Amino acid sequence: MKNFSNYNDFSRKEDLAFESRAIHGALGCEPITGAVSFPIYQTATFRHKALGQSTGFDYSRLQNPTRQELERTMAILENGMEGYALSSGQAANMALFTFLDPGDHVLLSDDIYGGTFRIGDDIFGKYGVNFEYVDMSDLEAVQKAMTPKTRMFFIETPTNPMMKVADIKALAELAHEAGALCVVDNTFLTPYFQRPIELGADVVVHSATKFIGGHNDTISGIVVVNRQDLADHMRLQLKSHGNGLDPFSSWLLLRGLKTLPLRMEKHNENGMKVANWLRTHPRVEKVYYAGFEDHKDYATMCKQASGFGSMISFTVDSVETVERTLANVDMIYFAESLGGTETLITYPMTQTHESIPADIREKLGITDRFLRLSVGLENVDDIIRDLNRALG
Ligand SMILES: *Cc1c(COP(=O)(O)O)cnc(C)c1O
């Protein structure tokens, strides 16, 4: 494990367990000074010794040591070939769709994150890429939706916000038979609970703003690829779009990763308790949570993930209950986003999923009585007491 010499002398630490790898990263400590907290290299450019001699770092848009440590660490944790850190989850998704050519067809989960939906319709549509939405938890529906032009599956599992579960292994096989890429958005579970590349996916993407960063303080995205041509494309993409993550945010994510396993365990424990409690509340009509044993895809969930996370959606009896709950939560914040230490409650209809056309929203069940909860790391009794009081 000792890396005392240079930046290229890092190890994947395959002999260590996940928790240890999350803490010790790729290089772990800085190889020249031995700094245990990997330094923030706040520099735009790097000095060259002479013509043709480079330290491996030339200009921070291309490579930066802090970002590189994060990218390598994420590749290690997702068990992929190369990682990339970008300025947001949206930037990461945008970068992925540049794999496609005009005329290509993409299949995406039907209740996908609203921002991803917007990328498809408002941006790439203009360049002749065709986006089609399908229930990825239904393999037959996916097969039916495929065309000879299908070049990518873009899968969220569990989905945001309906918590539908897709079988990553089966979908990766289906994609590969057709010569398409299998991309999985792993934002909700993180590599601690689910590693899509090990199940056959080619690419994993994260809004690292969420559980990876984990503290509601940094906007960022991660891409991990498992093929050399995709790695080359991502490097060119970062260099050209200039959307690489800055050194300070990269450091915040490295810091967040050190406690990822601990945080995910606690998120999972709190999430399970809150989901079960919500089911007993008289004003709550239906709870969507991938950890319920009677969830339609519970078996698939257990087969491919070792935990359920802390995302819960639910419908209540009336719009008045929604209004009262959002106005009266106290310790819980009414705010967009998820995956941080603070419990957040969101109203998808006007927040995260506003970009999705009303008829599609309605079909999916994202109604005016629908709420989404990201259960944080507070004492779970405080979370439940606050919700109980606000629901009325
Ligand atoms: C938040 C989120 C995004 C967008 O990420 P940003 O970091 O906000 O740009 C994409 N996908 C999912 C599943 C998300 O939760």
Side-chain angles (χ1 to χ4, degrees):
M1 217 179 105
K2 286 206 172 93
N3 305 305
F4 282 130
S5 50
N6 65 63
Y7 278 86
N8 291 322
D9 196 11
F10 75 97
S11 81
R12 296 183 77 94
K13 304 186 171 61
E14 271 149 14
D15 52 329
L16 299 182
F18 189 96
E19 295 89 328
S20 313
R21 278 183 280 148
I23 290 170
H24 290 280
L27 285 162
C29 64
E30 200 275 333
I32 296 164
T33 63
V36 166
S37 165
F38 203 90
I40 301 163
Y41 283 87
Q42 192 64 43
T43 184
T45 191
F46 299 84
R47 181 184 180 182
H48 299 297
K49 281 192 188 139
L51 198 62
Q53 285 189 42
S54 161
T55 57
F57 298 100
D58 304 305
Y59 188 62
S60 277
R61 172 157 46 77
L62 281 59
Q63 330 90 352
N64 176 278
T66 320
R67 186 168 80 220
Q68 183 182 73
E69 177 66 5
L70 169 65
E71 293 176 335
R72 286 170 166 174
T73 303
M74 282 305 300
I76 290 168
L77 296 181
E78 286 287 5
N79 213 357
M81 187 185 274
E82 299 271 359
Y84 304 88
L86 296 99
S87 56
S88 68
Q90 279 294 85
N93 287 338
M94 283 289 291
L96 292 182
F97 293 124
T98 67
F99 289 151
L100 300 163
D101 293 322
D104 284 355
H105 177 250
V106 194
L107 284 177
L108 302 95
S109 304
D110 56 359
D111 59 327
I112 205 137
Y113 175 73
T116 312
F117 191 88
R118 202 178 316 125
I119 291 178
D121 270 33
D122 295 354
I123 301 186
F124 280 88
K126 202 168 83 176
Y127 298 102
V129 180
N130 301 306
F131 286 69
E132 190 174 338
Y133 303 88
V134 62
D135 181 352
M136 290 278 185
S137 69
D138 180 349
L139 276 180
E140 249 173 67
V142 175
Q143 259 165 321
K144 263 197 215 134
M146 289 172 77
T147 79
K149 297 271 192 191
T150 306
R151 288 288 167 270
M152 182 188 281
F153 286 7
F154 191 98
I155 304 162
E156 268 184 30
T157 182
T159 55
N160 179 11
M162 304 312 292
M163 310 298 155
K164 289 195 282 197
V165 175
D167 185 331
I168 298 173
K169 191 160 179 280
L171 286 166
E173 280 167 14
L174 205 56
H176 293 159
E177 277 167 28
L181 283 174
C182 178
V183 178
V184 176
D185 185 327
N186 206 23
T187 300
F188 275 23
L189 292 180
T190 81
Y192 182 66
F193 283 143
Q194 175 172 277
R195 286 181 292 282
I197 286 173
E198 291 177 2
L199 298 162
D202 305 291
V203 181
V204 171
V205 60
H206 283 272
S207 167
T209 309
K210 316 294 169 53
F211 292 100
I212 299 288
H215 294 74
N216 287 325
D217 57 10
T218 318
I219 300 286
S220 53
I222 296 283
V223 170
V224 176
V225 301
N226 208 32
R227 258 175 38 188
Q228 192 57 51
D229 58 327
L230 302 178
D232 296 343
H233 178 90
M234 279 304 298
R235 191 53 65 199
L236 172 71
Q237 200 288 139
L238 241 84
K239 199 166 155 175
S240 310
H241 280 185
N243 49 7
L245 190 63
D246 67 281
F248 181 56
S249 300
S250 298
W251 181 84
L252 282 169
L253 293 199
L254 281 169
R255 181 186 230 262
L257 279 177
K258 290 178 196 279
T259 55
L260 178 73
L262 273 174
R263 288 187 287 107
M264 292 312 288
E265 286 292 345
K266 189 69 180 174
H267 277 299
N268 196 53
E269 187 188 316
N270 282 359
M272 177 73 80
K273 285 182 183 158
V274 173
N276 280 317
W277 174 80
L278 275 172
R279 265 193 162 175
T280 66
H281 196 284
R283 291 200 187 279
V284 175
E285 282 183 355
K286 187 166 163 67
V287 183
Y288 302 83
Y289 170 63
F292 285 144
E293 283 177 34
D294 56 5
H295 183 294
K296 173 173 81 69
D297 300 309
Y298 185 73
T300 307
M301 188 71 192
C302 292
K303 191 177 67 174
Q304 65 190 17
S306 55
F308 309 108
S310 72
M311 295 306 299
I312 304 167
S313 298
F314 57 104
T315 45
V316 293
D317 57 1
S318 65
V319 184
E320 291 70 45
T321 300
V322 166
E323 284 168 0
R324 194 175 49 250
T325 305
L326 296 178
N328 289 333
V329 281
D330 179 22
M331 181 190 81
I332 296 170
Y333 300 143
F334 169 32
E336 284 185 56
S337 202
L338 61 105
T341 41
E342 295 80 13
T343 298
L344 303 182
I345 192 163
T346 311
Y347 193 42
M349 195 172 92
T350 63
Q351 293 183 311
T352 49
H353 290 70
E354 200 202 350
S355 307
I356 296 186
D359 56 323
I360 300 178
R361 249 187 350 234
E362 195 68 31
K363 206 176 99 205
L364 293 170
I366 308 173
T367 66
D368 56 2
R369 292 183 291 119
F370 187 81
L371 290 161
R372 192 189 74 184
L373 197 62
S374 167
V375 180
L377 302 181
E378 301 95 337
N379 184 296
V380 72
D381 296 335
D382 290 331
I383 299 170
I384 290 173
R385 197 173 327 111
D386 200 24
L387 272 176
N388 193 34
R389 206 185 31 73
L391 278 163

